[in-house]
Amino acid sequence: MTTVLSAEIEQQTGDFHLGAAFDLGPGISALFGPSGAGKTMVLNAIAGLATPARGHITLNGRTLFDSENKVNLAPNKRRIGYVFQHGRLFPHLSVEANLLYGVRFVPDDAPQINFNEVVDVLGIRPLLARRTHDLSGGEGQRVAIGRALMTSPELLLMDEPLASLDLARRLEILPFIERLRDAFDIPIIYVSHSLNEVIRLADTAVLLQDGKVIARGQAEDIWNRHDLQPIFGLADPSRGLSAPQTIIACKVAEHDRAFELTRLHGNGLSFWVPRLERPIGSRLRLQVRATDVTLSTDEPQNTSILNHFHGTIETLDASRAGFADVEIRMATGATLWARVTQKSAMKLNLTTGHDIWALVKSVAVARGTAEPVPPSLES
Amino acid sequence: MMLTPVEISALLLSLKVALLSTVISLPVAIAVAWILARKSFPGKVLVDSLVHLPLVLPPVAVGYLLLLGLGRNGIIGAWLDQTFGISLAFTWVGAGIAAAIMGFPLMVRAIRLSIEAIDPRLERAARTLGAPRSHVFRTITLPLMMPGLIGGSVLGFARALGEFGATITFAGNIPGVTQTLPSALYTAQQMPGGEFAALRIAILSIIIAMLALVGSEILARRARRTIYGGDT
């Protein structure tokens, strides 16, 4: 992985101590964690809006901040775009003037960003002549994203850009951010406490809690760690009792035209899902909820469920009343989470090391479709 | 109603003095208002009180202090006189300076309020778009404080039109040189049988002041509409 950003940030605000160090590569990196974890502090330090007490920040080999050598570049010299939680559009300027605000400061040798392309990717052409105060929340955020893009940044910071929007607006903007990722080759740090947004958007993730980096790496690897699930639940209360889920990076392996099915392959597992209009080899991310996985001690013979896998029980977590969360390891090394009632766990006599069959009732494509994502695909 | 030559001369001089005082104090008021609105430093309360002093001090005292400082024998005045041959006391420029000081607190107050109403996060957003501080001030802060600039200027201007005590002490009451509307009114009222002349000047003063206030309200409304839209 080429390193785009390397940061080591230490800062003390009242009782809160931020001490975070991480490297980030290209693509979308999620900065994820409960509120109060210090996510925005990290972004502000990177953007130069706050000065850390100690540390260093390097972007594409260029030192932005270095407490030891007393380097602290002004925010306007950092070439970092920032999309704030609330658009922060300039109220006395038109949408077009907002978009063009930073253009005159773009260095000549920076990659040229085409105004028309930005406007089209974000779908804001009809808004150009409007004033900012009569834009809807979603429109405002798209303009704010466009305004940051037009400065041809080396890195784009997005601080919960969807948090102030209702669910419908969020679903409206997510595809724009995906298009952004595909159309412009700009690394993005995406701060969020919504697991769904992060699973859908991010390549890599940094998990922050109480000012410390708890985990970082490939997004799938982090989401599948059972020990981190309580933090995810803490960060994103919308997940309720938060049954674990398995995230699997897949490629489209084959299409079955006769039965209108598509086979997805990832982590050594194959999933049949209703036909996806995607070319062979395209990448996507599958989300398998533990509650959608049924267990059987015998090989399933007469079942309508297409996707079943053989493995052994790796972990058995019966700490929740009424439920048992079971991690199954396949021969391929892949793991899958299942949630069963404690009654079933008792009846099937589930213990670690036990041979088991996992039947996957449904999977969701969490990432990789250009079209709106169907909530779940019955298999 | 035809104006007499004395009235015309006093009216024109008043407008000239008020305009000068506004032009002198506006840049200083913007700087002081910005510092008071955005910065915290030891002694801020002291600076704030100092700015407000002309509001509560007897105007005569301000005029007297000006004489002490800027008069021909004053500390700065003597230096100005010897170096440049400039004398400010008993000139219309001197009247402008006296009026500027008297209107300064009103101006700072109005501008400071408009700066405090600006979300500093907008300025920080502009910095992340590549704009240096000075450009952010010119293109974001200044346009957004326009309602306060207009309101403050008009308040200062109107205060200068009405200024009497400091002006007469420092600049005198010389017809055609430093005799503004209030001093003309004072003179007329001192003369036997001058009641009607005084009333005419009083009415003239009211008309000018009303025009300035109504004009400023219209301008400020227009500025607010450009910034925030709607019918505010």
Side-chain angles (χ1 to χ4, degrees), chain B residues 44-61:
Chain B
K44 184 173 171 176
V45 181
L46 215 64
V47 173
D48 202 10
S49 308
L50 203 65
V51 166
H52 282 89
L53 206 55
L55 213 55
V56 287
L57 216 59
V60 181

Side-chain angles (χ1 to χ4, degrees), chain B residues 15 18 150-151 153-159 161 205-220:
Chain B
L15 293 176
I150 295 168
S153 301
V154 172
L155 272 176
F157 183 83
R159 181 69 186 80
L161 277 180
S205 301
I206 293 172
I207 293 171
I208 303 289
M210 281 303 287
L211 281 178
L213 291 172
V214 169
S216 95
E217 187 53 33
I218 291 171
L219 280 177

Side-chain angles (χ1 to χ4, degrees), chain B residues 11-30:
Chain B
L11 171 63
L12 290 180
L13 191 71
S14 278
L15 293 176
K16 202 162 86 168
V17 165
L19 205 64
L20 176 72
S21 84
T22 312
V23 171
I24 296 172
S25 48
L26 191 58
V28 188
I30 292 174

Side-chain angles (χ1 to χ4, degrees), chain B residues 33-197:
Chain B
W34 188 83
I35 290 168
L36 287 177
R38 286 290 163 81
K39 299 282 160 194
S40 55
F41 51 92
K44 184 173 171 176
V45 181
L46 215 64
V47 173
D48 202 10
S49 308
L50 203 65
V51 166
H52 282 89
L53 206 55
L55 213 55
V56 287
L57 216 59
V60 181
V62 173
Y64 174 69
L65 289 173
L66 275 173
L67 265 182
L68 282 187
L70 293 174
R72 199 179 291 267
N73 299 320
I75 307 153
I76 307 169
W79 176 79
L80 278 177
D81 193 25
Q82 280 154 24
T83 323
F84 304 103
I86 297 172
S87 171
L88 293 171
F90 306 105
T91 63
W92 76 274
V93 177
I97 292 173
I101 290 175
M102 295 308 295
F104 192 69
L106 296 172
M107 217 180 229
V108 170
R109 254 185 120 77
I111 297 173
R112 178 180 175 174
L113 281 176
S114 75
I115 295 174
E116 281 168 350
I118 300 172
D119 187 347
R121 291 178 304 180
L122 289 178
E123 293 159 347
R124 287 203 282 276
R127 296 296 304 283
T128 68
L129 295 169
R133 252 178 231 283
S134 57
H135 186 82
V136 174
F137 184 77
R138 250 193 351 268
T139 57
I140 306 295
T141 320
L142 214 49
L144 288 177
M145 60 197 259
M146 201 45 88
L149 285 184
I150 295 168
S153 301
V154 172
L155 272 176
F157 183 83
R159 181 69 186 80
L161 277 180
E163 219 304 298
F164 175 67
T167 311
I168 205 163
T169 316
F170 181 57
N173 183 5
I174 312 162
V177 183
T178 60
Q179 189 176 75
T180 57
L181 282 175
S183 6
L185 196 156
Y186 175 72
T187 306
Q189 188 257 332
Q190 292 291 305
M191 286 195 299
E195 289 84 1
F196 183 63

Side-chain angles (χ1 to χ4, degrees), chain A residues 25 53 57 59 92 160 166 171 174 186 204 226 286 313:
Chain A
I57 301 167
L59 176 62
H92 59 302
E160 308 214 24
D166 57 41
L171 293 176
L174 272 171
I186 297 175
T204 57
H226 190 55
L286 279 185
I313 295 178

